[in-house]
Amino acid sequence: MNEKVIISVCVGTGGMAAGALDVIKAFETELAGRGVEAEFKKRCEVHKVGCRGFCAKDVLVDVTAAGKTRTYQNISAGMAPRIVDEHILQGNPVMEWAVGPEYATFHGKQHKLVLAECGIIDPEEIGSYMEHGGYKAAAKALLKLHPEEIINEIKKSGLRGRGGAGFPTGMKWEFCRKAPGTRKCVICNADEGDPGAFMDRSVVEGNPHSVIEGMLIGAFAIGANEGYVYIRAEYPLAVERLKRAIGQARESGWLGKDIQGSGCDFDIRIGLGAGAFVCGEETALIASLEGQIGEPRPKPPFPANKGLWGMPTNINNVETWATVPKIINNGAPWFSGIGSEKSKGTKIFSLVGKIKNTGLVEVPMGMPLKEIIYDIGGGVPDGKKLKAVQTGGPSGGCITADYIETPVDYESLGALGSIMGSGGMVVMDEDTCMVDVARFFLSFCMDESCGQCTPCREGTKEMVRLLEEITRGEGTPEHITMLEEICAAMKEASLCGLGKTASNPVLSTLKYFRHEYDAHIFEKKCPAAACRALINFRIDENRCKGCGMCLRNCPQGAITGQKKKPHTVDPDKCIKCGACLDSCKFGAVSKA
Amino acid sequence: MAEITLNGKELETAPGATVLEAARAAGVDIPTLCYHEALGPYGACRLCIVEASGPVLKPSLITSCNAKAADGMAINTESPLVVKTRKILFELLIARSPRTKPLLEMAARFGVEGTRFKAAQGEPDNCLRCGICVRACTGKIGASAIVFARRGQGRHVTAEFEKSSSLCIGCGSCANLCPTGAIRMLDEGGRRRIFVNERVISDLPLVECRNCGRLFVTPKQADYVNAKTSGQGRPSPGDLCPECLRVSKASALSGLPPD
Ligand SMILES: Cc1cc2nc3c(=O)[nH]c(=O)nc-3n(C[C@H](O)[C@H](O)[C@H](O)COP(=O)(O)O)c2cc1C
Ligand code: SF4
Ligand code: FES
């Protein structure tokens, strides 16, 4: 038999943090030390692969032997010997360490297109990408297609930008192609500033060549010779993989002069971002690449006419670029066959918050939210009720459990007052206070506002203050009026997308959770029992056994009571830390 | 040239005019804070919003300072949406700078008195972040002595490293242009100091006029002017102040003695 044994270890940021490099070393030592290859006359290889999404269970390891692949979860270096022993040598997989049924359900309903090769290929080797069809699309585009045919194909495919606004990609390319000027450039936006988002990072870490290939095709179609990837410095692994990939692409003739004899010159440089959310906005990003302060400027002129150093510039998101080779390979009809009426293809989401299967998922556009949350995400943990799903990052909105059947695409989310954004999806359960959620997202925008324009700089600050007062029980009906008026002014009058959309979390919670605002304002109550100023801890005298646990745990000495007699909380001393609630074994402590 | 409708009246604009320029030429008052004729549009204060609709544009708010007037545009500078939005902008600015007179006066001119929002406490901050000083210093003077530092709430005008500037030439353009007086220039005790609110951002020595003895220029500014004018009859350290220069030139022309 000459069939190989392959051990694939996840080396995404999640995997690395969980100790993937130690795991790799352990397997290599183990295999070499025992002479497994010689004994078996089989090649044994340890591969590094990108993230496959199920980050909660890292380090994930695939072992392929005897033609079958088994996935192990939560693997550490110390577990390698037993896997080599039992699985590889004796052919008995270590079932107790294998992934459970939720791994299959997690992947079952997904449609991996951009992420298809993530977790399979070695992101550090161009050869591995080529083996899986890499650069085939680029070869076809550069050697067989006319730039305008490429643009038409992208237009026909219905691909829309994955970075937020969902602008048709083919149209954008055409603007830039037609813009006067001989020096043009393309930019990949890998700034990914939304809190909790890691789609773009995973693509760059898991399959950097797909982004390079997409940019090459786009540059050829547009007539650009320069490319830049603007990536945040907080993604060191992605930056390193990208650098390596660019180097390998140059060596293999996929970047540089006269690429593959096509006459096309194109090269890519990397620009590092310093982690300002606003630098993801295209004009701010361009300013930052130019070495200026990363602040948006008014549009027009649009980058397609006057972008980086005045060049006509086309800027797309990581995921958008990585989708391009797939379309060129498989054709526009194939791509537009996936997804819904007006939103084609797939979208990657980072599924986080109160959800069982935290991770990265790629689904066809138009999949009902319900399927993403329950079938893929496994639902809300601890038997809690789903309250809302926040999509679109800090400038998105909340969708209530009542709208769980909503298909996830640009139009449907927009109709509910939310946005697709770049793909953040935060699941919230009954313990989440929606006023507090609005306050959280708004204070993020307040901190990240560049401060240039009046509505955003002053408006976010004022709204955070109003929301804070409401969560403290100091709100009045006038607070709601003022919030609504500021929201409207910010939407209408802000200079850039940050300010224009910053009010979305407030508007959507006001729309769907007005009763929670009212409870805070009129009854001075937080229905989710989350706002500290409005909750009280109480001990149920029928349930309290007088064990004294809470009394010993209270840092304030706010609890009194004799042994074996019901205890009580002194509300004046209580700082609402919840230590009593956590320590009571009899469920006697409650908050309300 | 463009034919537009401004508050219901049809008119023709000057070639290449912005909506703001067209409105001002027609005597229509639009408030602006960050716009300055000499510096051009900046688009930051957003006070100059107007409602525009046109052949391709659906009715929406645009900033008139940086929008070119285009054929068929219909502009309303006092639509309910403009008035409502502008009121919030004024109220937000007044909350930041509740005692800044020029701001209060401008707001009052557009019917906004006071603010419902929480007025800032503590040291008064007259700076409205219009950026006129920064753009003049960098774009016109070329000194780049003052800049905006930090972002969001922390954004403020300052010199490098929050110290008194080593690049400032002491020309005082910033203080002259500042619409609120947040930047002040003070000549005192042989030195010229420039303040943002109460903080010193520049502190430079002054030199005397060789004739009248008045302290009138910083050596750096004199060098700057000399460099710009190739030293033609302009002040240099130990030279004449503008007044004495004028008198001396006049007397040379008329042949009469200076006094
Ligand atoms: C405040 C703000 C932050 C943004 N951040 C990102 C980002 O992190 N990544 C991104 O791709 N686009 C971001 N965008 C959208 C970009 O401005 C731009 O629309 C996008 O990169 C275009 O690419 P696409 O057409 O492929 O979506 C942001 C926009 C705004 C207003
Ligand atoms: S909307 Fe906010 S982030 Fe955008 S330019 Fe204005 S202040 Fe800056
Ligand atoms: S004057 Fe137009 S934005 Fe300030």
Side-chain angles (χ1 to χ4, degrees):
Chain A
M1 269 173 49
N2 54 5
E3 155 234 327
K4 290 191 271 190
V5 171
I6 297 174
I7 300 171
S8 304
V9 182
C10 169
V11 288
T13 290
M16 296 288 259
L21 290 185
D22 292 337
V23 171
I24 290 175
K25 210 180 282 159
F27 273 109
E28 283 172 347
T29 330
E30 203 58 32
L31 291 172
R34 304 217 190 154
V36 175
E37 289 204 343
E39 182 179 328
F40 246 8
K41 305 216 171 21
K42 277 186 198 164
R43 288 213 31 217
C44 295
E45 294 172 4
V46 183
H47 290 182
K48 292 182 192 165
V49 296
C51 177
R52 57 219 55 209
F54 211 41
C55 306
K57 305 282 187 196
D58 265 319
V59 179
L60 287 165
V61 175
D62 279 346
V63 175
T64 307
K68 274 184 82 175
T69 301
R70 197 160 289 279
T71 306
Y72 292 103
Q73 63 185 21
N74 296 333
I75 296 302
S76 58
M79 295 155 98
R82 194 170 149 201
I83 293 176
V84 171
D85 247 0
E86 296 182 17
H87 187 163
I88 298 177
L89 293 175
Q90 294 162 31
N92 300 320
V94 188
M95 291 315 290
E96 60 199 272
W97 293 345
V99 289
E102 72 276 8
Y103 190 74
T105 37
F106 180 75
H107 288 289
K109 284 213 167 173
Q110 293 195 49
H111 185 134
K112 298 217 174 181
L113 196 146
V114 173
L115 293 177
E117 284 85 29
C118 277
I120 293 175
I121 61 165
D122 181 343
E124 301 193 345
E125 293 308 327
I126 190 170
S128 181
Y129 181 60
M130 305 282 285
E131 275 169 33
H132 287 81
Y135 289 105
K136 251 200 208 139
K140 178 173 167 191
L142 267 61
L143 302 172
K144 295 210 186 101
L145 298 177
H146 188 270
E148 266 153 27
E149 286 178 290
I150 300 174
I151 291 182
N152 272 336
E153 196 69 10
I154 299 296
K155 270 167 117 179
K156 268 196 299 185
S157 75
L159 175 64
R160 294 169 64 173
R162 304 298 196 230
F167 193 84
T169 305
M171 229 151 99
K172 197 145 112 176
W173 289 14
E174 190 164 49
F175 290 149
C176 195
R177 177 173 173 79
K178 291 196 169 148
T182 43
R183 242 187 105 191
K184 296 184 181 177
C185 89
V186 295
I187 297 178
C188 171
N189 188 343
D191 194 50
E192 196 165 49
D194 298 14
F198 49 93
M199 298 79 56
D200 297 346
R201 193 198 72 209
S202 304
V203 173
V204 176
E205 282 177 1
N207 193 356
H209 285 286
S210 65
V211 180
I212 298 176
E213 187 177 3
M215 289 177 75
L216 170 59
I217 296 169
F220 176 70
I222 288 162
N225 305 112
E226 292 168 55
Y228 292 85
V229 179
Y230 187 82
I231 184 165
R232 48 192 317 174
E234 294 96 323
Y235 284 175
L237 186 62
V239 173
E240 203 189 299
R241 296 235 165 106
L242 191 64
K243 273 190 189 154
R244 201 182 154 94
I246 291 174
Q248 291 178 346
R250 280 190 194 129
E251 282 165 24
S252 318
W254 288 106
L255 287 176
K257 295 250 172 262
D258 188 20
I259 294 170
Q260 308 290 325
S262 66
C264 167
D265 301 341
F266 179 64
D267 209 341
I268 297 177
R269 270 185 274 178
I270 296 179
L272 292 184
F277 175 60
V278 73
C279 284
E281 196 280 335
E282 52 194 16
T283 59
L285 185 153
I286 288 171
S288 174
L289 267 182
E290 288 173 349
Q292 304 184 45
I293 299 177
E295 284 171 358
R297 57 155 182 74
K299 291 187 273 195
F302 288 93
N305 286 310
K306 209 162 169 271
L308 187 67
W309 288 300
M311 287 184 266
T313 300
N314 180 79
I315 173 162
N316 279 124
N317 168 260
V318 169
E319 206 182 319
T320 317
W321 286 122
T323 309
V324 168
K326 302 277 174 190
I327 298 175
I328 298 300
N329 271 332
N330 300 301
W334 164 82
F335 186 78
S336 59
I338 308 167
S340 64
E341 164 96 43
K342 283 193 178 148
S343 307
K344 302 300 184 190
T346 60
K347 176 81 194 85
I348 309 177
F349 291 97
S350 51
L351 197 54
V352 296
K354 301 290 173 64
I355 184 105
K356 270 190 200 138
N357 305 335
T358 297
L360 195 69
V361 305
E362 182 173 2
V363 296
M365 293 266 191
M367 179 181 268
L369 188 57
K370 190 177 174 181
E371 290 181 27
I372 302 180
I373 303 297
Y374 289 100
D375 298 349
I376 297 174
V380 182
D382 306 326
K384 299 265 181 178
K385 268 206 340 245
L386 174 76
K387 185 171 198 172
V389 181
Q390 207 273 354
T391 68
S395 35
C398 295
I399 296 167
T400 65
D402 297 342
Y403 292 91
I404 192 80
E405 306 282 353
T406 305
V408 177
D409 58 26
Y410 294 103
E411 286 72 28
S412 313
L413 293 184
L416 291 179
S418 188
I419 55 169
M420 176 87 78
S422 54
M425 204 173 258
V426 187
V427 182
M428 298 164 185
D429 69 7
E430 56 195 281
D431 294 339
T432 314
C433 167
M434 299 314 284
V435 184
D436 194 50
V437 166
R439 183 204 56 79
F440 169 81
F441 282 113
L442 219 65
S443 56
F444 176 85
C445 286
M446 176 181 79
D447 291 340
E448 295 297 330
S449 156
C450 82
Q452 235 185 137
C453 72
T454 309
C456 175
R457 180 188 65 238
E458 306 299 336
T460 51
K461 179 186 73 178
E462 192 56 27
M463 287 218 271
V464 167
R465 180 187 71 83
L466 292 167
L467 289 165
E468 273 172 3
E469 288 184 0
I470 296 175
T471 57
R472 282 202 306 264
E474 295 158 12
T476 65
E478 178 70 359
H479 277 64
I480 303 281
T481 319
M482 289 194 278
L483 279 175
E484 285 172 337
E485 287 183 29
I486 301 174
C487 283
M490 281 178 64
K491 242 185 160 55
E492 292 289 345
S494 293
L495 194 163
C496 86
L498 195 157
K500 281 191 212 290
T501 57
S503 52
N504 282 348
V506 180
L507 288 171
S508 81
T509 49
L510 270 174
K511 185 167 168 193
Y512 297 112
F513 297 95
R514 181 60 184 263
H515 52 280
E516 290 200 19
Y517 281 85
D518 288 346
H520 284 78
I521 291 172
F522 296 107
E523 297 155 39
K524 307 295 173 202
K525 280 211 171 81
C526 174
C531 295
R532 275 195 191 188
L534 300 180
I535 51 172
N536 279 308
F537 286 86
R538 225 171 261 117
I539 299 175
D540 182 345
E541 48 187 275
N542 296 323
R543 287 191 176 182
C544 177
K545 306 259 189 259
C547 71
M549 248 345 232
C550 57
L551 187 149
R552 281 194 293 280
N553 276 303
C554 175
Q556 291 303 97
I559 296 177
T560 45
Q562 290 176 347
K563 258 202 160 94
K564 308 215 167 145
K565 293 264 163 65
H567 287 35
T568 49
V569 185
D570 178 353
D572 292 336
K573 284 190 186 165
C574 172
I575 55 163
K576 299 168 189 174
C577 67
C580 48
L581 183 77
D582 293 340
S583 63
C584 181
K585 289 198 182 67
F586 306 103
V589 184
S590 64
K591 64 175 177 178
Chain B
M1 249 180 318
E3 285 177 19
I4 65 167
T5 316
L6 181 67
N7 294 345
K9 273 195 224 119
E10 283 174 21
L11 57 92
E12 223 169 63
T13 69
T18 60
V19 173
L20 177 68
E21 284 161 350
R24 289 203 167 155
V28 171
D29 196 8
I30 294 176
T32 62
L33 205 60
C34 67
Y35 173 78
H36 190 282
E37 288 89 342
L39 300 168
Y42 183 47
C45 75
R46 318 303 284 175
L47 281 178
C48 67
I49 43 169
V50 297
E51 194 166 328
S53 54
V56 280
L57 209 65
K58 54 181 188 335
S60 60
L61 293 188
I62 58 167
T63 41
S64 60
C65 67
N66 58 6
K68 287 261 184 284
D71 267 335
M73 245 186 189
I75 303 291
N76 190 341
T77 65
E78 295 297 328
S79 77
L81 183 61
V82 172
V83 172
K84 196 176 108 192
T85 310
R86 201 165 58 197
K87 175 167 191 277
I88 297 289
L89 297 182
F90 272 127
E91 283 190 279
L92 287 169
L93 284 170
I94 295 174
R96 163 179 283 272
S97 303
R99 286 181 295 281
T100 303
K101 262 233 174 87
L103 171 68
L104 298 176
E105 285 164 7
M106 191 195 293
R109 215 167 80 221
F110 290 89
V112 182
E113 307 273 353
T115 179
R116 290 166 294 162
F117 307 135
K118 190 163 184 207
Q121 310 287 308
E123 289 278 296
D125 182 359
N126 286 321
C127 173
L128 302 175
R129 278 61 173 168
C130 69
I132 287 179
C133 53
V134 170
R135 283 178 292 145
C137 183
T138 304
K140 291 288 166 191
I141 308 300
S144 300
I146 50 172
V147 290
F148 275 121
R150 306 270 302 278
R151 68 166 182 244
Q153 303 305 307
R155 184 177 177 89
H156 64 287
V157 174
T158 185
E160 75 261 25
F161 307 115
E162 310 282 345
K163 294 217 164 75
S164 109
S165 172
S166 67
L167 300 169
C168 175
I169 60 170
C171 71
S173 301
C174 49
N176 283 328
L177 291 173
C178 177
T180 66
I183 303 200
R184 281 179 306 124
M185 185 168 90
L186 191 66
D187 287 356
E188 202 179 61
R191 299 191 75 81
R192 169 167 293 174
R193 283 182 299 156
I194 299 175
F195 301 80
V196 176
N197 290 321
E198 293 309 314
R199 211 159 35 83
V200 177
I201 54 163
S202 173
D203 186 350
L204 295 165
L206 287 166
V207 288
E208 289 178 358
C209 168
R210 140 164 79 80
N211 184 44
C212 67
R214 187 164 72 90
L215 293 161
F216 78 104
V217 75
T218 68
K220 280 184 171 179
Q221 186 187 359
D223 289 347
Y224 174 85
V225 175
N226 270 325
K228 284 255 162 168
T229 60
S230 330
Q232 289 182 358
R234 293 300 167 137
S236 59
D239 211 328
L240 298 171
C241 71
E243 184 58 15
C244 295
L245 188 70
R246 193 178 59 79
V247 173
S248 89
K249 275 200 173 166
S251 69
L253 283 175
S254 65
L256 295 170
D259 278 318

